[in-house]
């Protein structure tokens, strides 16, 4: 496994790969868990070569505290990647990427960035777009892999690729969960025991929503889920929305010919957790 720290070195080495070979890119922020590994293994199965990037991208954090507390486990990450036979790892510094000018490019994501995560984390998706576009330009992958755990991010990146006509395929990967349903996340390691025990309420609520989806109206579903969170001492609901998968705009009425997902963001102490589920 080759590890690159500079843009020059990764470009130079990847340019030696013959064009007939496919290259899969899996962008991550490190603190790798089984969810990341499932995506990387899928990329390994579907490509001749795979590169994983590990970069805690400062421009996508709206709160400096969250950035400061983001778990970093580089040594363990590299060991895991070595064990699953990843070909390349790119671990640039912030200076290497931003040249000491840590600001985002501004994007037009056709309104997809104005709701849910975008509404609650100002500038988040401009930061995501900035780093993902840069990685695409540096690495020039055949395919890039993103998890449905961050479904809004996935749709926004698909939109960016389409609008800019970038020559690559975006591959969506299903959500990996702990046995009790909690979606795997690097942030889960920051939960204390009581918070960790309470956290599966997020997935249980999504399952309940799926069960009620075609039977009850959206107001009833939202009220009953909000009530459950109100009764839980460890979780504060930031938002719960049912949204059309294409527009991502929160829906109040259901058109049975369209596809919908339910989305949750909740705080457990200072740890922010998100999850979502397909409803139909
Ligand atoms: P992150 O390191 O959190 O930026 O995640 C890197 C990639 O892994 C993103 O495309 C995420 O959507 C994806 N990912 C993170 N957690 C999971 C999970 N539990 N299941 C599937 N994909 C995930």
């Amino acid at each position: 496994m080759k590890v690159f720290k500079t843009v020059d070195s990764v470009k130079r080495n990847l340019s030696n790969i013959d064009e007939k070979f496919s290259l899969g890119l899996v962008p991550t922020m490190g603190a790798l868990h089984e969810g990341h590994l499932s995506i990387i293994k899928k990329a390994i199965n579907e490509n001749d070569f795979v590169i994983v990037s590990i970069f805690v991208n400062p421009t996508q954090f709206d709160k400096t505290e969250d950035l400061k507390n983001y778990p970093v486990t580089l040594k363990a990450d590299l060991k895991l990647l070595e064990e699953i036979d990843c070909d390349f790892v790119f671990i640039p510094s912030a200076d290497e990427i931003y040249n000491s000018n840590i600001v985002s490019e501004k994007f037009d994501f056709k309104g997809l960035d104005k709701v849910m995560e975008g509404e609650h984390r100002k500038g988040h998706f401009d930061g995501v777009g900035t780093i993902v576009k840069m990685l695409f330009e540096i690495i020039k992958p055949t395919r890039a892999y993103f998890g449905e755990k961050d479904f809004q991010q996935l749709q926004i990146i698909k939109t960016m690729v389409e609008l800019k006509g970038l020559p690559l395929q975006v591959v969506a990967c299903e959500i990996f969960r702990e046995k009790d349903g909690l979606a795997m996340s690097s942030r889960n390691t920051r939960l204390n025991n009581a918070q960790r025990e309470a956290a599966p309420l997020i997935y249980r609520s999504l399952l309940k929503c799926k069960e009620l989806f075609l039977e009850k109206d959206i107001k009833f579903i939202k009220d009953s889920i909000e009530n459950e969170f109100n009764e839980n001492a460890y979780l504060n609901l930031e938002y719960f929305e049912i949204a059309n998968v294409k527009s991502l705009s929160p829906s109040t009425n259901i058109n049975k010919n369209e596809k919908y997902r339910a989305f949750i963001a909740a705080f457990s102490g200072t740890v922010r957790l998100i999850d979502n589920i397909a409803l139909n």
Side-chain angles (χ1 to χ4, degrees), residues 26-30 32-33 35-36 38-39 60 70 145-150 153 173-177 183-186:
V26 186
T28 80
M29 297 203 298
L32 300 181
H33 50 67
H36 293 118
S38 72
I39 300 185
Q60 72 188 68
Y70 201 84
Y145 292 76
F146 294 89
E148 289 183 336
K149 158 95 176 357
D150 301 276
Q153 167 176 283
C173 306
E174 67 183 41
I175 302 174
F176 247 67
R177 301 181 177 283
M184 289 183 185
S185 164
S186 307

Side-chain angles (χ1 to χ4, degrees), residues 7-279:
V7 172
D8 273 357
S9 64
V10 75
K11 275 186 171 172
R12 207 172 344 103
N13 276 271
L14 295 181
S15 69
N16 291 333
I17 298 178
D18 193 310
E19 278 190 8
K20 71 176 188 230
F21 293 118
S22 59
L23 176 63
L25 164 67
V26 186
T28 80
M29 297 203 298
L32 300 181
H33 50 67
E34 280 296 327
H36 293 118
L37 295 181
S38 72
I39 300 185
I40 299 163
K41 285 178 193 161
K42 180 175 165 68
I44 290 174
N45 275 333
E46 296 176 357
N47 295 277
D48 297 305
F49 294 99
V50 166
I51 180 160
V52 172
S53 62
I54 298 179
F55 180 59
V56 183
N57 175 36
T59 59
Q60 72 188 68
F61 284 80
D62 60 329
K63 293 195 175 81
T64 31
E65 272 303 289
D66 190 25
L67 173 61
K68 220 171 69 194
N69 290 322
Y70 201 84
V72 176
T73 59
L74 187 58
K75 210 171 147 202
D77 292 351
L78 292 177
K79 186 162 177 274
L80 287 170
L81 292 174
E82 184 94 61
E83 278 167 12
I84 61 167
D85 277 339
C86 177
D87 302 292
F88 309 115
V89 189
F90 181 41
I91 41 169
S93 64
D95 267 357
E96 187 63 26
I97 292 292
Y98 288 105
N99 276 325
S100 77
N101 184 26
I102 303 189
V103 288
S104 297
E105 183 181 335
K106 298 280 175 263
F107 290 85
D108 177 5
F109 292 125
K110 303 290 167 208
L112 295 178
D113 58 331
K114 300 291 180 262
V115 291
M116 299 190 289
E117 289 303 281
E119 185 184 344
H120 292 275
R121 302 181 71 191
K122 292 287 173 228
H124 171 66
F125 287 118
D126 280 334
V128 170
T130 302
I131 184 61
V132 170
K133 185 168 151 260
M134 273 193 216
L135 289 171
F136 287 172
E137 283 165 358
I138 295 165
I139 289 165
K140 301 190 186 355
T142 321
R143 300 185 188 88
Y145 292 76
F146 294 89
E148 289 183 336
K149 158 95 176 357
D150 301 276
F151 191 83
Q152 191 172 2
Q153 167 176 283
L154 168 68
Q155 296 299 70
I156 281 175
I157 289 164
K158 278 186 183 167
T159 302
M160 179 178 83
V161 166
E162 222 174 278
L163 289 176
K164 297 197 180 291
L166 304 178
L168 63 102
Q169 187 192 342
V170 174
V171 182
C173 306
E174 67 183 41
I175 302 174
F176 247 67
R177 301 181 177 283
E178 302 288 352
K179 283 205 178 72
D180 58 11
L182 177 65
M184 289 183 185
S185 164
S186 307
R187 290 187 171 87
N188 293 351
T189 56
R190 294 183 49 218
L191 299 173
N192 67 29
N193 288 345
Q195 290 170 332
R196 176 63 189 82
E197 255 175 53
L201 173 62
I202 295 172
Y203 185 53
R204 281 204 308 278
S205 302
L206 292 173
L207 288 176
K208 180 172 172 182
C209 173
K210 189 172 175 128
E211 207 180 292
L212 296 177
F213 181 59
L214 291 176
E215 286 164 26
K216 302 280 185 190
D217 62 38
I218 290 188
K219 176 154 183 354
F220 176 93
I221 299 174
K222 285 182 89 164
D223 285 350
S224 81
I225 285 171
E226 281 166 17
N227 285 341
E228 284 204 36
F229 275 85
N230 286 339
E231 283 165 21
N232 190 293
Y234 296 99
L235 286 162
N236 277 319
L237 188 62
E238 187 172 50
Y239 64 78
F240 169 75
E241 298 291 358
I242 292 174
N244 181 299
V245 295
K246 279 196 226 122
S247 70
L248 293 181
S249 50
S251 310
T252 42
N253 291 309
I254 297 304
N255 172 348
K256 288 192 177 144
N257 300 319
E258 299 277 334
K259 296 264 181 244
Y260 294 87
R261 286 181 96 95
F263 297 83
I264 285 188
F267 278 96
S268 191
T270 57
V271 184
R272 191 169 180 280
L273 302 170
I274 59 169
D275 200 354
N276 68 90
I277 196 169
L279 296 175

